[in-house]
Amino acid sequence: QVQLVESGGGLVQAGDSLRLSCAASGRTFSSVAMAWFRQAPGKEREFVATIDWSGSITYYADSVKGRFTISRDNAKNTVALQMNSLKPEDTAVYYCASATVPFTSVQAIHYIHWGQGTQVTVSS
């Protein structure tokens, strides 16, 4: 069983940066893709970024491309999301998720384990 615990959320101003971290337990971490999703109030959960099992392939939502960077450390069972140039529309609960497959995917259906989420609030 994989458990995911996110940290690093908070309240920041537009233009600031935040770094989210996700600590994973379980032996399969290094063999599956990981991703970050987010859900804003009154909206559906949406894909943010994904990284393959090796860390060599990443993919981003258009809305965060060039501002966010996903990375992973398989030795430490962690995945991070560096968020720069934050905007008020980035305000959401951010979720870490682990996939059932080693390659990247933007579809939530491919992610079987989810963290409890961490709140990111960006004020204008």
Side-chain angles (χ1 to χ4, degrees):
Q1 183 74 8
V2 174
Q3 290 187 326
L4 305 174
V5 179
E6 303 99 333
S7 62
L11 171 63
V12 297
Q13 294 186 332
D16 286 350
S17 298
L18 271 179
R19 183 177 178 86
L20 305 183
S21 294
C22 174
S25 63
R27 293 175 293 177
T28 61
F29 176 83
S30 61
S31 63
V32 296
M34 298 292 295
W36 289 92
F37 287 76
R38 68 186 181 187
Q39 187 167 18
K43 296 186 177 181
E44 293 187 353
R45 187 172 300 187
E46 66 173 359
F47 164 78
V48 175
T50 181
I51 188 166
D52 78 328
W53 68 275
S54 70
S56 61
I57 300 174
T58 58
Y59 188 78
Y60 300 90
D62 287 344
S63 58
V64 307
K65 198 173 297 182
R67 300 188 297 122
F68 291 11
T69 302
I70 188 171
S71 61
R72 68 188 297 162
D73 185 336
N74 285 345
K76 297 181 179 179
N77 277 19
T78 58
V79 62
L81 184 68
Q82 177 66 41
M83 305 186 295
N84 298 329
S85 302
L86 283 162
K87 305 176 181 180
E89 51 263 44
D90 293 319
T91 295
V93 177
Y94 283 70
Y95 298 90
C96 172
S98 64
T100 59
V101 295
F103 48 81
T104 58
S105 173
V106 304
Q107 299 182 59
I109 193 173
H110 288 145
Y111 295 88
I112 191 172
H113 299 291
W114 296 79
Q116 81 288 349
T118 185
Q119 177 70 47
V120 172
T121 304
V122 184
S123 63
S124 57

